[in-house]
Amino acid sequence: MVAFQGDVSEHVLAMERALGGGGSAVEVRRAGIVPRCNGIVLPGGESTTIAKHLARTGVGDEIRAAARSGVPLMATCAGLIVISQEIVEETRFLPLGLLDVRVVRNAFGSQSESFEANLQVEGFNSPYRAVFIRAPAIVGWDAEVDVLSRIEEIAVAVRGENVMGLAFHPELTGDLRFHEIFLDMI
Amino acid sequence: MQLEELRFGTELLKRGFAKMQKGGVIMDVTTSEQAVIAEEAGAVAVMALQAVPADIRKMGGVARMADPMIIMEIIDSVSIPVMAKVRIGHFAEAQILEAIGVDMIDESEVLTPVDEFHVDKSKFKIPFVCGARNLGEALRRTKEGAAMIRTKGEAGTGDVREAVRHMRMIMGQIRSLKGMTDEELTKVAREIEADYELVLECRDMQRLPVVNFAAGGIATPADASLMMQMGADGVFVGSGIFKSQKPELMASAIVEAVNNYDNPEKLVEISTGLGDPMKGIDAGTLQEGEILQTRGW
């Protein structure tokens, strides 16, 4: 659990519930821990802040190496921005390039445009209640990337070979279906 | 997926926004240049103001919401969330800030209060942060709809002692609820003038129901570390950045200190060579009329 900034404790709680005792979530704030993990989660928060900490501590390089060697990675909201291939009109930081998607930051506007919505998700037999907070949008993706859910023409949940990217916050509702997909990837 | 099924301004969205700020530093800025410096240093949000609290103190007079022009320029200059302050009870200023498109409103004792009642924050789509000195005050604001609480401290002094006192008070009061029976909790709720259900939540979760930041007098990386060790979820730095000798360095250092708050060796490195922090005022020497924390209830 990359724990520099954001709603880390909510992610830890949700993951421990999903694990049900079959593993544990550890908070990572320095280099040397990621190489020993068999799954990586990048929570939501502020992407500019998280990107800065990833670069400064070397944890970003460790995540890149682990994900490229096949370790499963789940990235939500700001995390998705950080691992994307390209951020539209963004010069403040470079993404890690671990998921072949093009994203737009704050795609829906300021906090007053943040919303909850029921999503249709591929493989789910009932709608998924999703919480979008100053959320990014996935506006382009490689043919190898599966789109699991979309709002009109934009994608909000996608999956590459070992990487899942979500524009919303699966840790803020009690619904753990995306966590279960992630754990199945491990 | 139909767009009309979307829901805006829910409690979950407001509290969720506040949670995304955890582990971060929110910095006071008065110009777009300062906002860019804050963003580059790694701030999670900026507070757009006409003047920082230290200058508000010096200027005297009535302190009001900032000119919308200043706020809009700051919104246009950064990608991180922008917050702004309203006077306690001034719901019209809050409506204006919401219409401008700020991400969060600080109903703040730093500005001159207009009412004995605080703003009914549940009526707004965007979240609020409010100051508190103790658990009762924190829970009254939460009940009114605040999505984030911050210590009041004593703004604009650069003296962290009052923030320490307020954080110690809030955390201590929460600890004292442990093991209490429902009858005892009812008595506490009455004594501290807080909603029973919220007091119950504090007992069970052993924390505030909403995100809890430290604010008021934080001026150095060590101050930030101190507040995080006392249980803060993050920190606000008001005058402490742009009243220091080297704002860029101080801003980055405080961001790093929040992340390494429990690592003294790292804090040595972070605290070195920053130039002079803001000069400040010993909060203990303030006259009664100069104290901001007693505004609101």
Side-chain angles (χ1 to χ4, degrees):
Chain A
M1 205 66 71
V2 178
F4 295 113
Q5 191 274 316
D7 68 335
V8 176
S9 60
E10 289 74 13
H11 258 288
V12 169
L13 278 173
M15 188 56 76
E16 302 229 295
R17 275 186 52 220
L19 283 163
S24 63
V26 289
E27 296 189 11
V28 175
R29 277 195 207 84
R30 57 182 172 81
I33 302 165
V34 166
R36 308 207 303 269
C37 296
N38 45 13
I40 306 162
V41 178
L42 265 156
E46 281 308 315
S47 55
T48 50
T49 308
I50 295 171
K52 199 158 292 281
H53 289 303
L54 286 171
R56 189 176 45 75
T57 56
V59 172
D61 290 335
E62 291 184 347
I63 293 171
R64 188 186 282 120
R68 293 212 168 136
S69 73
V71 175
L73 173 64
M74 174 164 80
T76 69
C77 195
L80 163 66
I81 298 169
V82 169
I83 66 152
S84 67
Q85 191 63 41
E86 185 194 340
I87 311 169
V88 177
E89 282 174 28
E90 177 58 70
T91 52
R92 293 169 182 89
F93 63 94
L94 275 177
L96 295 177
L98 302 176
L99 182 60
D100 204 347
V101 295
R102 202 148 57 86
V103 300
V104 176
R105 291 182 64 198
N106 301 340
F108 303 91
S110 67
Q111 173 61 14
S112 60
E113 307 302 324
S114 291
F115 61 94
E116 293 181 39
N118 288 327
L119 299 179
Q120 298 300 328
V121 182
E122 199 182 294
F124 290 3
N125 51 21
S126 61
Y128 180 89
R129 187 79 180 159
V131 181
F132 292 82
I133 298 173
R134 284 173 49 94
I138 302 167
V139 294
W141 51 89
D142 184 76
E144 306 279 294
V145 172
D146 286 336
V147 175
L148 303 178
S149 185
R150 54 174 88 206
I151 295 179
E152 298 186 334
E153 73 280 13
I154 62 166
V156 293
V158 298
R159 195 181 154 172
E161 199 176 343
N162 63 321
V163 181
M164 183 160 67
L166 310 173
F168 48 88
H169 292 279
E171 74 285 4
L172 292 182
T173 55
D175 194 334
L176 298 173
R177 286 180 282 178
F178 282 102
H179 288 79
E180 283 156 15
I181 295 179
F182 174 66
L183 291 177
D184 281 343
M185 288 160 72
I186 296 179
Chain B
M1 169 78 243
Q2 298 298 307
L3 282 178
E4 39 293 3
E5 287 169 13
L6 307 187
R7 287 187 66 212
F8 299 90
T10 63
E11 206 54 38
L12 183 58
L13 290 166
K14 293 181 191 177
R15 289 189 181 188
F17 171 82
K19 286 175 178 174
M20 297 312 144
Q21 304 286 303
K22 289 197 301 178
V25 182
I26 301 168
M27 302 182 190
D28 278 6
V29 298
T30 57
T31 62
S32 48
E33 291 76 21
Q34 289 184 352
V36 169
I37 291 171
E39 181 174 50
E40 281 175 357
V44 288
V46 291
M47 179 75 67
L49 291 169
Q50 197 121 15
V52 294
D55 289 331
I56 291 175
R57 272 186 188 285
K58 268 191 222 144
M59 293 184 302
V62 178
R64 309 181 178 91
M65 174 188 82
D67 182 336
M69 179 74 92
I70 294 176
I71 300 170
M72 287 189 275
E73 278 173 13
I74 289 170
I75 289 175
D76 288 340
S77 66
V78 292
S79 64
I80 54 178
V82 175
M83 308 181 178
K85 289 185 195 289
V86 299
R87 288 178 263 179
I88 289 173
H90 208 315
F91 57 84
E93 284 187 346
Q95 289 161 349
I96 292 168
L97 289 186
E98 184 168 64
I100 290 173
V102 306
D103 296 292
M104 184 178 236
I105 294 174
D106 183 2
E107 186 180 22
S108 176
E109 69 283 0
V110 169
L111 305 185
T112 314
V114 300
D115 198 342
E116 62 184 300
F117 294 99
H118 287 247
V119 172
D120 179 358
K121 292 162 273 287
S122 64
K123 290 205 174 107
F124 288 79
K125 258 184 9 184
I126 56 172
F128 277 71
V129 52
C130 289
R133 288 164 299 169
N134 53 52
L135 184 61
E137 205 170 4
L139 296 183
R140 285 193 292 279
R141 298 295 85 79
T142 306
K143 180 73 180 169
E144 291 159 0
M148 181 195 269
I149 295 297
R150 54 168 176 78
T151 57
K152 283 181 167 172
E154 193 52 45
T157 60
D159 185 348
V160 77
R161 84 155 78 157
E162 293 301 298
V164 167
R165 198 161 67 82
H166 299 160
M167 189 59 82
R168 206 175 267 297
M169 176 68 92
I170 292 170
M171 301 312 251
Q173 284 178 293
I174 293 173
R175 276 192 298 275
S176 74
L177 300 175
K178 218 182 226 170
M180 277 194 188
T181 63
D182 290 354
E183 296 90 322
E184 287 164 340
L185 283 185
T186 307
K187 183 159 175 276
V188 171
R190 203 171 60 227
E191 281 165 2
I192 67 171
E193 299 179 87
D195 179 75
Y196 168 78
E197 294 297 329
L198 292 176
V199 176
L200 185 70
E201 217 177 317
C202 290
R203 180 196 68 183
D204 294 344
M205 294 170 52
Q206 282 296 296
R207 58 157 296 137
L208 285 181
V210 297
V211 170
N212 180 21
F213 268 49
I218 295 161
T220 66
D223 289 350
S225 161
L226 177 66
M227 297 314 301
M228 292 299 288
Q229 291 188 58
M230 293 186 75
D233 292 318
V235 302
F236 282 86
V237 186
S239 318
I241 307 270
F242 292 99
K243 288 287 168 192
S244 71
Q245 193 187 0
K246 298 176 179 169
E248 288 89 346
L249 293 185
M250 187 59 83
S252 293
I254 293 181
V255 169
E256 280 198 56
V258 166
N259 240 269
N260 294 283
Y261 70 88
D262 51 357
N263 184 345
E265 285 78 23
K266 191 84 190 157
L267 286 163
V268 173
E269 196 185 301
I270 293 168
S271 306
T272 304
L274 300 178
D276 293 333
M278 73 179 279
K279 180 162 178 279
I281 314 165
D282 176 344
T285 65
L286 294 175
Q287 302 298 309
E288 206 183 307
E290 299 171 324
I291 295 171
L292 302 178
Q293 61 178 274
T294 49
R295 294 169 165 184
W297 65 291

